[in-house]
Amino acid sequence: MKKENRKMLFSGVIIGIIAALLMKFGNPGNMGMCIACFLRDIAGGLGLHKAPPVQYIRPEIIGILLGAFGASFLSKDFNPRGGSNPLIRFSFAVAMMVGALVFLGCPLRMILRLAGGDLNALVGLFGFILGIFIGIQLLKKGYSLGRNHRQSKVSAFLVPLFALGLLILVVAKPAFIAFSEEGPGAAHAPMIYSLIGGAIVGVLLQRTRICTAAAFRDIILIKNFHYFYGVLGIFLGAAVFNPLLNGSSIHLGFADQPIAHSEHLWNFLGMALVGLTGVLLGGCPIRQLILSADGDTDGAITVIGLIVGAALVHNFGLASSGEGTTTAGRIATILCFVYVFVISFWQIAEGRKS
């Protein structure tokens, strides 16, 4: 194995171990790290939605942002840029969050759920890969959101400042910030563990640029397995350490999995929507988070879209639960596919004109 691939694999293993440790310390089952779920909890904590079980300013997100920013700044990778079709990015991010919360997790949690024996995530993986394949076909037809441009340092520094603001809120716990008393939002590791774990993951992701969407995109498109070694490492790290640390809660199968449902069609379609939008946006949710910390305002717009999307999903009753999907969530998933395809083909047509 090449040196750079060994580095990817090792970094992924460390991320998987950290996820398993955070579950041991109190995070929900098969949810040591989930960007979609944690951004949803932050949206609830800030009062953007009123679902009591999922309201908590997750320190892991703060740690990831600050860790990635620190690594980027010290390595001189920090580069203020952006401005390529922000409204399309924002709307596609909302669609991505719809798919993620119908499935109940981002691609990172999908990998962790697989490592924990949840076979519903295997169905989601098949959908994720199909969505990526469809996205690649759109890229081949000429889909593009255009080039980004240099932005002011002020705009690029807003993301780490936002992370610092969240840190102040989670430490100070003012009365206007909501904290779940039961449900997934009430299940969390001690704040300091979450911050440290998130910061380590942020540094690793910034240095390796691991992206679940890019991993399968590059395999399909150019037969390159470089990023896949990172994803494989996350799976292996969690799969080995989950039984050691959380053995009593780990079992193989479809039924009785933590914060999951077994409606296979919607697990498949939810992650297909995430895979499709991941390719069209240039990265999965965790990659967008790292890009935003790197100074990429396009990534920041995507993260904002994910937060707003999470709020809309819960305010309109679209989110799934352990009992299954909702009718509104199924309708929203189909409408999001239609919207993404219409905008993508329209964008392709506009590109051909120019």
Side-chain angles (χ1 to χ4, degrees), residues 147-205:
R147 294 183 178 181
N148 55 28
H149 310 281
R150 184 161 183 81
Q151 303 285 302
S152 72
K153 288 185 178 180
V154 175
S155 60
F157 275 101
L158 289 178
V159 168
L161 288 174
F162 171 69
L164 287 174
L166 290 178
L167 180 58
I168 292 171
L169 291 175
V170 76
V171 171
K173 296 184 177 180
F176 60 84
I177 296 299
F179 291 90
S180 296
E181 296 181 0
E182 59 182 7
H188 52 79
M191 182 180 65
I192 189 64
Y193 294 172
S194 297
L195 277 171
I196 293 172
I200 294 171
V201 169
V203 170
L204 290 173
L205 290 172

Side-chain angles (χ1 to χ4, degrees), residues 190-264:
M191 182 180 65
I192 189 64
Y193 294 172
S194 297
L195 277 171
I196 293 172
I200 294 171
V201 169
V203 170
L204 290 173
L205 290 172
Q206 196 281 328
R207 300 312 299 156
T208 60
R209 294 170 169 77
I210 293 173
C211 173
T212 55
F216 294 101
R217 179 202 65 198
D218 286 0
I219 291 174
I220 297 170
L221 193 59
I222 57 177
K223 307 297 187 292
N224 187 310
F225 284 77
H226 178 62
Y227 291 118
F228 179 76
Y229 283 108
V231 174
L232 177 63
I234 294 172
F235 173 80
L236 292 176
V240 171
F241 277 80
N242 259 336
L244 297 177
L245 298 171
N246 310 292
S248 61
S249 63
I250 302 299
H251 66 278
L252 182 67
F254 291 99
D256 301 321
Q257 296 292 347
I259 313 176
H261 63 80
S262 296
E263 295 185 21
H264 300 318

Side-chain angles (χ1 to χ4, degrees), residues 6 25 29 74 99 130 154 156 166 177 188 208 237 239 267 273 276 308 342 350-351:
R6 290 199 301 270
F25 292 137
L74 292 175
L130 177 63
V154 175
L166 290 178
I177 296 299
H188 52 79
T208 60
N267 280 325
L273 183 56
L276 172 62
V308 172
V342 168
E350 288 292 314

Side-chain angles (χ1 to χ4, degrees), residues 17-30:
I17 293 173
I18 289 173
L21 282 168
L22 289 174
M23 281 186 276
K24 174 66 174 179
F25 292 137
N27 277 14
N30 289 345

Side-chain angles (χ1 to χ4, degrees), residues 47 92 103 113 155 187 245 262 284 313 339:
F92 279 15
F103 168 73
R113 283 173 59 177
S155 60
L245 298 171
S262 296
C284 65
V313 165
Y339 173 78

Side-chain angles (χ1 to χ4, degrees), residues 79-83 149 151-152 155-156 291-292 295-302:
N79 176 27
R81 69 229 186 249
H149 310 281
Q151 303 285 302
S152 72
S155 60
L291 286 170
S292 70
D296 190 325
T297 58
D298 288 338
I301 287 291
T302 304

